[in-house]
Amino acid sequence: MSRVQLALNVSDVDAAVEFYSQLFGVAPAKRRPGYANFAIEEPALKLVLIENPGAAATLNHLGVEVSSSGDVAAAQARLAGEGRQTATEENVSCCYAVQDKVWVSDPDGAPWEIYTVLADANTMGCGPAEAASNEAATDTAGAVCCASVSDGC
């Protein structure tokens, strides 16, 4: 299964969760301080809300969630074969999940990720993965997560 992801910067995650719960008629699939995501079946959408009141824009990034690391690798190979510059991240912790992903930017610089979720994680921030079972994990929610590698993630 694949679905498009839309990640938004929001000034108040609680107000945004209330609005999007009403708009799509579903509760968040994952809720953490300053963060929520919705796994919406109809339309097939992964909506990610990142509390970031100082953000210059509402759009954080776009993405496509895919079923496996093999799908991520295939997307990277296809995009690179078409001359697109890509950046690959493997086994990283981002948005409270351990993920494999590849980043590419559209002609106007909008960051897109093609990713798969490998496991749940205790941290928001980007970096080497620490699975949810790791009691030593520290929360890096203040870090910019789920931004393209070129943005310092």
Side-chain angles (χ1 to χ4, degrees):
M1 177 208 53
S2 295
R3 64 177 151 209
V4 172
Q5 174 187 283
L6 173 61
L8 301 176
N9 293 314
V10 298
S11 59
D12 181 339
V13 75
D14 295 327
V17 165
E18 181 180 356
F19 173 80
Y20 287 107
S21 293
Q22 293 169 349
L23 179 66
F24 291 110
V26 298
K30 185 182 288 188
R31 186 77 163 84
R32 303 288 191 277
Y35 175 86
N37 81 41
F38 293 79
I40 302 163
E41 290 186 30
E42 187 59 40
L45 173 68
K46 179 69 143 297
L47 177 65
V48 177
L49 306 175
I50 302 168
E51 193 164 58
N52 191 0
T58 303
L59 179 64
N60 185 286
H61 69 280
L62 302 156
V64 178
E65 182 179 22
V66 296
S67 298
S68 71
S69 295
D71 292 338
V72 173
Q76 188 282 329
R78 179 180 54 79
L79 291 164
E82 293 173 0
R84 297 289 172 191
Q85 184 175 4
T86 64
T88 302
E89 296 179 308
E90 295 178 343
N91 202 40
V92 296
S93 179
C94 186
C95 297
Y96 296 101
V98 179
Q99 304 172 356
D100 283 346
K101 61 178 76 184
V102 61
W103 289 97
V104 64
S105 294
D106 80 3
D108 292 313
W112 279 85
E113 68 174 330
I114 299 172
Y115 71 99
T116 191
V117 174
L118 305 172
D120 209 17
N122 288 329
T123 61
M124 172 68 173
C126 291
E130 294 186 42
S133 62
N134 184 347
E135 296 300 322
T138 58
D139 190 0
T140 57
V144 175
C145 183
C146 299
S148 70
V149 171
S150 63
D151 291 338
C153 184

